[in-house]
Amino acid sequence: MENFDILLKNGIVLTMDKNATIIKNGCVGIKSDQIVYIGDIDENLKGKKEININGGIILPGLINGHTHASMSLFRGMADDLHLMDWLNNYIFPAEQRMDANFVYNGALLACVEMIMSGTTTFCDMYLFEDEVAKAANKANIRCLVGEVLFDFPSPNYGQIEKGFEYTKELIKKWKGHPTVSIAVEPHALYTCSPDLLKKANEIALENNVPLILHLSETKTEVNEIKNKYNKLPIDHLENLGLLGGHLIADHCVHLNNDEMDKLAKYDVKVIYNPESNMKLASGMAPIKELKSKGITVGIGTDGCASNNNLDLFSEMDIAAKLPKVQYLDPTIMDAFTVLKMATIDGAKALGIDKITGSIEFGKKADIIVIDTNKPHLIPMYNPYSHIVYSACGSDVIHSIINGKLVMEDRNLLYLDLQEIMNKGIEEAQRVKSWLM
């Protein structure tokens, strides 16, 4: 008789492994933080905690490749604006008024939203990022986070030299943590000097951590870099020595073919953020070309100030449909491909595919369960299509992260939902006062 800490049974298991294995009436056994059994139902299998899935879907937790978690407190604050107007006249001024407590409360609100909509890992760039790490640790959600670095003074660290020190301290503090990892995160080419970018890259390489930045999000950005450095953004990065397998580039909307070839050559990872790019009218990323060149692409929501949610189910739906209109091809970005981008490919993009992103023996148990006993999920012919085109974040009924059951029957087990929402309402009053 096999005994597990947690046994998920009687569900459709979508492993998202390299063979796209599906177990139609399966079980997943978990011991400590690891997946130790995947297979058919067996009466000899027992668990200290057994959860009957009742025919629902068991799949890897979703991976949100690009967030600004604490921007949950800016949700709806400055909608329907151009990116630079939005940034320079609303977001940057508000951020200058923030403090560590504001960021912590916003990050907790974001963690709640993500857990309750199926995300088990997120990648974050923001200010006071140690507070985001603390919030993620409290929420028991996996994360890759980094302090945003730019040329102008930060409300957290002040001048950029202190920003480098802060980043190094983050790396040192959280090294070896089971769920919190650190990246080096210069904001963008238009807010970071060449010297800043090179120093950030040095820190990333010295500490063997990812380097993450916004890249080629708008035509305005591309033109600014071209005018300033007489190079397109990718060529500018190549000249500075930043291109490499450790680089994660967010957005990548405006690229030519040569630039994409360079991304592929250097194994740069890309995070696709279709909803944010649509809302800010930044454009549509060349997703067909990026994928055809073998570039690893994950999916991100961006922050709640430009989306306005952190629900990867709605993001997958748009990620699948937008390219069909963009290329006038209904076969492009099929449901399975999009789900891969939100799971195993997202893990590859963040450099964590050896531990998460799929349901495989020995990997960390980051698993969600979808309740398919819903009118909008009946009947079900293809589970991949159901997840991408029919399911909602609210259909996620159970969530396990690093072997811990963090949500059961839609109830959070480690967080006080009402308290966190109340804090969010309180912080919103501060935001309103800043805008007066």
Side-chain angles (χ1 to χ4, degrees), residues 1-9 26-51 361 365 400 403:
M1 180 182 293
E2 185 74 50
N3 286 296
F4 308 103
D5 293 328
I6 301 174
L7 178 63
L8 305 175
K9 59 184 183 180
C27 291
V28 177
I30 299 164
K31 279 188 179 179
S32 185
D33 59 356
Q34 290 190 332
I35 298 166
V36 296
Y37 178 85
I38 310 151
D40 296 324
I41 288 179
D42 185 333
E43 62 181 16
N44 292 318
L45 301 177
K46 302 294 180 183
K48 296 175 185 175
K49 174 75 175 182
E50 295 189 5
I51 302 176
F361 184 86
I400 297 168

Side-chain angles (χ1 to χ4, degrees), residues 33 37 49-50 93 117 124 138 175 199 233 259 270 274-275 278 305 316 318 322 348 376 391 402:
D33 59 356
Y37 178 85
K49 174 75 175 182
E50 295 189 5
S117 57
D124 199 62
K138 180 179 176 63
K175 186 175 183 179
K199 180 63 176 178
E259 288 181 293
V270 171
E275 287 195 49
M278 288 171 64
M316 284 191 290
I318 293 296
L322 184 62
K348 288 177 182 176
H376 64 283
N402 206 45

Side-chain angles (χ1 to χ4, degrees), residues 179 339 366 414:
T179 55
L339 184 57
D366 295 346
Y414 291 92

